[in-house]
Every structure is written in structure tokens, then in C-alpha cells.
Amino acid sequence: IIGEEYRWPRMVPYYLEDDLEINAKGVILKAFEQYRLKTCIDFKPWSGEQNYISVFKGNGCFSSIGNRRVGKQTLSIGSGCDRLATVEHEFLHALGFWHEQSRSDRDDYVYIDWDQITEGKEHNFNKYNDSVSSFLNVPYDYGSVMHYSQKAFQSGSEPTIITRIPDFKETIGQRMEMSQSDVRKLHTLYHCNKGGSSTFLDSCDFETENICGMIQVSGEESRASWQRVSSAPGGPDTDYTQTGRCAGGGYFMHFSAVEPESSSQLESRFLYPKRGFQCLQFFIYNSGDSSDRLRIWTREFDLHDSNGTLRFIQEIYAPLSDAWHIQHVSLNTSKKFRVLFEAVAGKRTLGGLSIDDLNLWEGSCPEHVWRIRGFSGVMENTSVDSAIYSPRFTSSLGYSFQVSLYPNGTGSNPDELATFLHLTSSDDGDDENDDGLVWPAQWKQMSVTMMDQNPDIRQRMSNQRSVTTDPNMKLDGSEGFFWDDPRKVGELVTGEDGSRYYRGPGAGTKVFLSRPRALSRNFIKNGDSLFLLSMDDLSHLVAPQPLPSSTVPPPQTGSTVTGSPENRTTTVSSTSGFTNATTSTTTAIPASSSSSVTSITNSTLTTIPPSSSVSSSTEPPTDPCVSLQCENDGVCVLDEANLPVCRCAAGSDWWFYGERCEFRSSTHNLIVIAVISGVCVFVVMLMASGVTTYLCVRRQKRRATLPADWLF
Amino acid sequence: QAAPRGIEHDVDGGKQDLFDINEDAGLDLFEGDILFDEKLGRNS
């Protein structure tokens, strides 16, 4: 929408109303993380700002367009709206975006079949001329998260929107994440080019010769080194970025050693963290020996330490395999740092280790990865209404869980992949930490993400769905609780390895992702698909979000929708726990006990955490900078007294200043001030000169007119 | 290989996207999910 008055500040204040479902609260926080990762838009709990977004559970999913400047601006995440893409969609509305097909140029790209629209619903297909709505010089995007699907508001079975490029017919109206053009428009609208995103650090697919500014350090005596190659003797034959699809492209970094036990180090460029916890993700291939390993270090720099201090993070033994494997490593540094990859050769010198598609961001790593090899074949060869099951994974919270997937859909939705999440328990009750588990499980959010394997995390449009264990949820027609111990409410099943365990009832969706969309983008790469799985504890979101201590929320105005949340009191809750970040990171390796499907392997690699120097915490470390919100892309750092201070953004001729970088100045301002000062001085001097001259002249005249005798 | 199917709760009730949800909820909002605002100076 055109008009600066509709813009929010880049740090958007929000209030999660108490009527929201707990799962919705968790999904909203996950959506905020995506905004932080991909754009310069950030969100903060409302602390008394004049305008803020109040997210509540209305009767449906809806939002206003842009900042209406009404104080409390409502945005509804009702029942069924608690999907990542839906939340991103509604917040894009709030940030000032219309639907994609309402652009002034939409008729060049889609054909609206008015005869197929339900009578009275034609208003949903408005379009706006370019004096009201700007497409910000970004081409029409069939893949926008703001686009209707082809069946929107249809009266019969025929589509209401027909794409003029047929290839997009099945994929418009995607229910995945923001597209690259959505992100680009957001960047333009909010001038993100000056600061970049909040939590992204680096991405490298090694396609360019400068290898993203990485540097190599090898011992003088060593004849081993990292090399940028497009294939390596013994494998891999192709990289992971392009998987051999482009002649003349497709590079990765390969380490091969001439001597056993030799090593070489590859260091990233300098990185400047803001948060204190990061996730490093990359793909690894081992064509050497099972004793080859990759050690991950960080080199951290203090103010007066130019050489940096090495900190050992993790050692990874990649299995000998004919495939690339995804790997996650959790980091927790608050200082300027580099990431260091040290490859160490094993006993043999043939082949070696390779890495590709590296991403580093300030967020939590997914806990587990379920890799399905030959996924296209699995989709083709699995009958409708047939599920395949992941191995059992043990979360850092102690609960074990499992995903069921219907690759060819269910009877009621045969064109949609369906997925459900189940808690599990061992038959003999010897699960680790089993004794300490609380049943029914309380507010544990399980998330399954089908990963878009684009090499750059900022361009991924993954598909995610989460469910949260409500301890009060009943089983249909029973007094039992849905999320109770699977030994009570589940069924006894036998895994592929013969182990027996109980699988609890599942919660999930029959419309996880349509088949055409699953076959689009990079959901399947090298034939494989990756499902990222996590379990987060949302107990801290059960309590109301604290209200600002001295501010009573202003009354809501300007909206015509009913169903606003209950009136809240001004009592300040003593509970805490509302943070900007999602919780739970871990380097733990899943206990993959079994799988009922032979074509599925668990891709997680064997890793050996160091004994003392690596944080094995499952929570992000406490960050002193949480208490200090730097504005305008300022970076919070710790000073010598370990106190958080803002380091403000600056350009060649401008800079921010102030305790929170809240003020802006520039050389232009200084020039203006200098010119004005100069002019003022000049005017004052001129006036002084004028007055002096006037007085002198008058005195001369008076002397000239006096009588001669008086003079003597 | 198909595995036995236990209890499954569909949290989406088969509804594919937010417009289905709003329609099912009886909402008839501006362009499906936009709050009408008189300050915009237009109606549907």
C-alpha cells in the first residue's frame, strides 16, 4: 500500500493475547524467527509503544493492511490458522501488503474466470491501480505467499484463477513460506538494504572462486589442503548445490590427504553475532575412511586479541557413503568470531571429506533429521491411505516421538501429503529419562518441516506444521487423555529392527503439502527429501504475556470485525518467559531405534561432543544483550565490563547514535549546520560592521558640523 | 510398506488454506482475510 503513514518501525511491537492457542503462540514466534532471518523486520513484546499489533484468536485468520495507527491493531490467528505460512501471510498484510493477484498488472499474468466465482464473492478479486498499490519493481510472482490458490472462491470445480504460464497452475496459492520476491518487496518497502537481516550470518555454496571469503590454514609440513572442485576422485562426482545439473558449475570444498593423520583448516571470514547462539548447517560427504573426521572450532576475538582464541565445538565422523548428508552444529558465541573446519585424515589417504551448501544463522538448530531416500519413488509406489513411519527420535525434553507420513495422501485428500506426530514409549519402559516424564505431556510442540533444499537458507520456502500436546485434550469417546503415556493410550508396534514399542495417537494434518508442490522447488534433491523435526517446550507461553508496567492498552478503534479478545486487566503478571526467540537447541544425536520402512535411513551422522568445552545445554545460553534492544540495525556487544552496549550502524556519510542507536545523523546534516552557523556568524558580523560604520560616520558628521571656536 | 493405522487427529479438518477456514467460519471479509477500514475510503 502506498503511503509512508502505513509503515511500522522495523522493530514491530506485538502482544500475544491470552486467548490464543498455545500452539498458535509457538507458531507465531517461529514466524517471527523467519522474518528475522530473511528480512530486517524484527518483533518485540509490546512495552508501551503507541501502536502495536495485538494477535488474538478470532473467528478465522485476518489482518488489516499496514500500520493503521489506531493504537491496538488486531490480527487474528484463529483455529486452524496456526500454520507458519498463514501467520507469515497475515503479518505481511499488517506490514502493508495486499494480495499478489490484486496488483495493477495482474491481468498480464493471470486470467480471472468470473463465471466460476461464487456469486457475491467477486469483490475478492479486486485490483488496485498503481497510485494506491505499488509492486515495488518486483515481477509478478505466482509463488508469493500472498497469492490466492486456483480454487479460491470457486462455485464449482473449475479454477477461478488461471495462470497464463501453465507451469504455475498447480503451485499458485502455496501454503509454504515467503517467496524470494515477498522478501525482496519487504526489503524495498522497509529499506532493509542498509542493515540486512537480524539473524542471518553467512551462506556459501562455493560456486564462486572467492569461496565466500574463506581462508585456508595448513601446517607447513602438511601436504593436505582444502580445494574447490566440481568432483573428487573416489567421490563425490557432483556437488550438492546443483547436483550435476549445470555444466561448468557445481563446486564444493574437498579435503584429501596424501599422508595419514594430516590435517587442514578452512576458516570463515569474520562474523559478528548479535544473539549469542547460532546454528551451523552444511552438507558433508565422506569418500575417504571411516576414521576421517571433521572438527568444528570457533576462533573468537576479544577487543584486544587480534589472534583470537580457538574453542573446540564438535567432532564429526561422517559415514562412508555414496550420498551427501546434512549436518547441524549448535554454536554459542557472543564475540566476533570465525568458524573453522578442520579436516583430519584417517588411516587411508584415498578419497576424503567434502562440504557444500553451508548456512550459518542466529537461531536454533533442528533437533533431528529424517531423510527419505528415493522420495519420488516412495510417492509413486505407496498406495493412498498408506503411512510410512520415521524412526523414533528422543527429544532433548526426554520424550520420544515419531512421524507418520502419507506420501500419496489419504482417502479424503489423495493429492495431499499427510503427516501426523506421535509420542512413543518403550515396551519395557527403559527409555532414558522415562521416570521423570510427566503424563499427559504438557505443552510440548512437535514440528515437522519438509525442507526446501535451496542452498541459501534465506531463499528457502519450506513447509512446516506443528502440533502441541494439550494435557487436557481427551481421546474421542474415552476418558483417556490424548497425550497420555503411549503405554496407556497407544498401540504396541514392532519396529524394523524387531524392537517393540508403544505408539500413541497422532495429531497432524491431511493437507500438509500438495503433490505438485512437493515436486516443485528443491523439496526433492538428488532423489531425497529431508524432514526436520523438533520438539520445543511451550510451557512458558501458557501464562499471559506481561503488560507494560505503566501503560494501559488504548482502546481498539477503526476495525469492523467482531470477536475481539476478552478485556484484559491491567494487572502485571509476574511471569516471564516471553522472549523473541524460540527455544531448544541441541547437538544431541537421535536414538534412531527403528523404522518400519526399509527405504528410509536416518541421515544423522555420528558426532562426538567434546568433554568440557562444548555447551550441551538444551536451552540457548543467557544473552546479556536480550535486555538491550539496539534500533536501526545497531549491534549489541559486550564492553570490557561485560555490559551490553549498542554499536550503531554507520555508512560512508551517515551514522546512528544514542544509547539504543535511536538517533540518526549524517555529514549532510553537519554541512547544513556548518553552513547555517557560517551564515549566522556572517550576518552578525555584517550587522556589527554596519553599526560600527554608522556610528563612526555619525561621529564624523557631528565633528564636521561643530562651530570653529568650539574646536579651539 | 504400509503400517497399521492408529488414532489420528486432523488439526486442519481437511481445510487447505486460510480462505477455506474463513469461509467455513462464515466470514466474508474484504478479499477473504483483510479487515475493512473506512479510512481506506473504499468498500467491497
Side-chain angles (χ1 to χ4, degrees):
Chain A
I1 187 168
I2 291 174
E4 281 302 310
E5 68 271 28
Y6 296 114
R7 305 291 165 259
W8 288 92
R10 284 195 214 158
M11 182 72 82
V12 183
Y14 70 86
Y15 189 88
L16 303 187
E17 300 288 348
D18 203 27
D19 59 355
L20 280 169
E21 292 174 12
I22 302 303
N23 188 60
K25 289 184 181 181
V27 173
I28 291 164
L29 296 185
K30 284 182 185 294
F32 290 168
E33 285 293 273
Q34 290 300 315
Y35 277 99
R36 292 184 185 109
L37 175 67
K38 297 175 179 175
T39 78
C40 64
I41 301 297
D42 201 348
F43 297 86
K44 56 169 282 191
W46 178 49
S47 58
E49 290 82 357
Q50 188 174 5
N51 298 302
Y52 68 101
I53 297 178
S54 160
V55 192
F56 77 108
K57 184 183 178 182
N59 189 21
C61 338
F62 48 83
S63 168
S64 304
I65 304 290
N67 184 353
R68 314 310 302 186
R69 303 189 185 275
V70 292
K72 173 182 169 180
Q73 178 169 323
T74 54
L75 184 153
S76 170
I77 298 299
S79 180
C81 307
D82 49 351
R83 308 177 195 183
L84 191 65
T86 302
V87 175
E88 288 183 5
H89 179 113
E90 297 307 334
F91 272 90
L92 274 176
H93 277 321
L95 288 165
F97 288 87
W98 300 103
H99 291 127
E100 182 71 359
Q101 75 287 334
S102 68
R103 291 167 51 138
S104 57
D105 62 347
R106 70 111 182 269
D107 292 328
D108 294 340
Y109 305 99
V110 295
Y111 167 70
I112 307 296
D113 191 344
W114 297 96
D115 295 336
Q116 301 301 325
I117 298 170
T118 306
E119 192 175 347
K121 301 279 185 180
E122 292 83 359
H123 65 82
N124 292 299
F125 295 86
N126 287 342
K127 66 174 184 177
Y128 306 110
N129 67 40
D130 52 14
S131 66
V132 174
S133 173
S134 167
F135 48 77
L136 299 168
N137 207 25
V138 174
Y140 194 88
D141 181 22
Y142 296 109
S144 168
V145 77
M146 303 305 283
H147 206 299
Y148 285 174
S149 73
Q150 59 167 334
K151 296 177 179 174
F153 306 103
Q154 65 180 176
S155 56
S157 57
E158 294 300 308
T160 52
I161 302 178
I162 298 157
T163 59
R164 297 200 185 275
I165 301 176
D167 289 349
F168 294 102
K169 178 186 172 191
E170 303 280 353
T171 53
I172 59 164
Q174 55 92 1
R175 305 185 302 274
M176 306 174 297
E177 291 192 60
M178 287 183 283
S179 72
Q180 199 176 345
S181 73
D182 292 328
V183 172
R184 208 169 126 199
K185 279 186 278 192
L186 205 46
H187 272 244
T188 304
L189 195 65
Y190 282 88
H191 311 295
C192 288
N193 56 328
K194 288 180 182 172
S197 67
S198 309
T199 58
F200 175 76
L201 289 171
D202 202 8
S203 178
C204 192
D205 56 15
F206 301 109
E207 291 305 298
T208 54
E209 291 172 348
N210 72 346
I211 56 173
C212 311
M214 290 185 135
I215 56 176
Q216 185 165 182
V217 184
S218 293
E220 288 183 6
E221 75 287 355
S222 174
R223 294 164 64 192
S225 66
W226 286 95
Q227 291 179 318
R228 177 176 169 269
V229 297
S230 56
S231 66
D237 296 328
T238 70
D239 73 332
Y240 198 74
T241 312
Q242 301 183 10
T243 60
R245 287 173 296 181
C246 299
Y251 289 90
F252 58 91
M253 295 302 289
H254 178 71
F255 166 81
S256 63
V258 177
E259 299 159 356
E261 297 300 327
S262 58
S263 67
S264 182
Q265 298 169 356
L266 185 68
E267 287 194 41
S268 76
R269 58 183 170 81
F270 285 118
L271 299 159
Y272 297 86
K274 295 176 184 172
R275 272 184 157 178
F277 61 101
Q278 301 84 24
C279 182
L280 172 67
Q281 180 191 69
F282 56 94
F283 287 83
I284 186 168
Y285 190 112
N286 186 4
S287 61
D289 186 81
S290 57
S291 56
D292 287 2
R293 63 263 190 205
L294 182 68
R295 291 179 182 149
I296 307 294
W297 303 74
T298 54
R299 188 188 296 278
E300 301 178 3
F301 298 85
D302 287 316
L303 284 176
H304 307 296
D305 180 8
S306 58
N307 294 324
T309 304
L310 277 176
R311 190 155 69 100
F312 179 54
I313 303 297
Q314 192 168 325
E315 187 166 59
I316 299 163
Y317 282 86
L320 281 170
S321 165
D322 60 350
W324 290 90
H325 298 265
I326 194 169
Q327 177 69 38
H328 294 97
V329 178
S330 293
L331 311 176
N332 54 353
T333 178
S334 302
K335 302 172 182 171
K336 180 173 89 173
F337 74 109
R338 297 177 187 270
V339 177
L340 193 151
F341 297 85
E342 182 189 31
V344 183
K347 297 166 190 166
R348 226 168 38 173
T349 55
L350 293 173
L353 290 171
S354 305
I355 60 172
D356 202 2
D357 289 4
L358 183 154
N359 280 287
L360 177 62
W361 71 96
E362 295 211 81
S364 303
C365 287
E367 273 192 302
H368 305 289
V369 180
W370 179 29
R371 173 166 162 232
I372 304 181
R373 303 195 68 174
F375 190 65
S376 301
V378 173
M379 286 175 74
E380 287 172 11
N381 299 321
T382 308
S383 57
V384 174
D385 239 1
S386 293
I388 58 175
Y389 288 85
S390 76
R392 293 174 64 203
F393 296 109
T394 303
S395 80
S396 58
L397 304 171
Y399 293 91
S400 65
F401 65 109
Q402 185 176 42
V403 179
S404 62
L405 178 72
Y406 293 78
N408 220 346
T410 55
S412 54
N413 297 83
D415 290 332
E416 296 268 347
L417 274 67
T419 183
F420 294 88
L421 290 141
H422 307 255
L423 293 174
T424 62
S425 288
S426 287
D427 181 24
D428 50 11
D430 63 352
D431 275 352
E432 194 179 356
N433 302 324
D434 193 49
D435 292 341
L437 297 179
V438 174
W439 299 106
Q442 297 189 356
W443 313 117
K444 306 294 180 275
Q445 186 178 53
M446 293 177 278
S447 301
V448 54
T449 304
M450 191 173 183
M451 179 176 148
D452 176 14
Q453 298 176 57
N454 188 298
D456 187 338
I457 189 171
R458 294 167 299 176
Q459 297 179 20
R460 287 177 186 163
M461 292 165 62
S462 299
N463 193 57
Q464 186 178 90
R465 194 71 172 98
S466 303
V467 295
T468 300
T469 61
D470 179 346
N472 305 312
M473 182 177 171
K474 290 279 182 66
L475 277 168
D476 283 344
S478 162
E479 284 302 302
F481 291 101
F482 194 93
W483 297 110
D484 209 342
D485 190 334
R487 282 177 287 235
K488 286 170 63 179
V489 295
E491 56 183 354
L492 187 62
V493 295
T494 304
E496 189 187 51
D497 61 354
S499 65
R500 287 156 66 84
Y501 63 94
Y502 286 90
R503 178 189 302 141
T509 176
K510 290 181 179 176
V511 290
F512 179 68
L513 187 67
S514 71
R515 284 172 54 87
R517 288 175 187 133
L519 295 170
S520 70
R521 299 191 61 79
N522 286 300
F523 285 109
I524 302 172
K525 198 166 185 179
N526 260 355
D528 301 347
S529 62
L530 298 174
F531 289 84
L532 311 179
L533 308 170
S534 291
M535 181 185 280
D536 299 306
D537 184 13
L538 300 188
S539 301
H540 62 294
L541 298 177
V542 174
Q545 178 176 337
L547 285 164
S549 54
S550 60
T551 310
V552 179
Q556 178 187 348
T557 59
S559 168
T560 60
V561 166
T562 58
S564 47
E566 293 175 6
N567 292 334
R568 53 175 176 260
T569 66
T570 54
T571 307
V572 180
S573 169
S574 61
T575 56
S576 60
F578 271 83
T579 63
N580 290 341
T582 53
T583 59
S584 185
T585 61
T586 181
T587 57
I589 298 306
S592 54
S593 61
S594 66
S595 168
S596 60
V597 182
T598 54
S599 61
I600 296 168
T601 59
N602 177 8
S603 73
T604 310
L605 313 181
T606 307
T607 61
I608 300 178
S611 56
S612 60
S613 59
V614 175
S615 166
S616 59
S617 167
T618 57
E619 294 292 327
T622 304
D623 180 6
C625 284
V626 167
S627 60
L628 182 63
Q629 295 283 352
C630 301
E631 299 176 8
N632 296 307
D633 305 319
V635 180
C636 177
V637 295
L638 301 182
D639 65 7
E640 291 178 5
N642 219 29
L643 294 172
V645 293
C646 286
R647 185 171 292 164
C648 303
S652 58
D653 60 350
W654 56 267
W655 61 91
F656 287 101
Y657 65 100
E659 189 181 347
R660 289 176 290 107
C661 304
E662 65 271 38
F663 305 116
R664 187 181 192 280
S665 188
S666 67
T667 51
H668 175 74
N669 293 354
L670 289 186
I671 291 168
V672 170
I673 291 169
V675 168
I676 291 172
S677 304
V679 169
C680 290
V681 169
F682 177 75
V683 169
V684 170
M685 293 291 288
L686 197 64
M687 290 171 64
S689 300
V691 170
T692 305
T693 305
Y694 170 75
L695 291 174
C696 287
V697 169
R698 198 174 70 168
R699 188 171 181 182
Q700 288 291 339
K701 282 183 177 176
R702 287 181 62 188
R703 293 179 74 175
T705 55
L706 286 173
D709 56 344
W710 190 87
L711 289 172
F712 297 100
Chain B
Q1 180 184 349
R5 189 172 170 180
I7 297 169
E8 287 165 346
H9 171 61
D10 183 0
V11 294
D12 290 326
K15 289 189 278 292
Q16 293 188 328
D17 61 21
L18 63 96
F19 302 105
D20 299 325
I21 293 166
N22 286 356
E23 199 165 10
D24 199 54
L27 287 177
D28 188 17
L29 291 171
F30 189 67
E31 292 188 12
D33 68 334
I34 298 174
L35 289 186
F36 177 74
D37 192 326
E38 290 178 2
K39 284 205 295 186
L40 285 174
R42 68 172 69 85
N43 58 42
S44 57

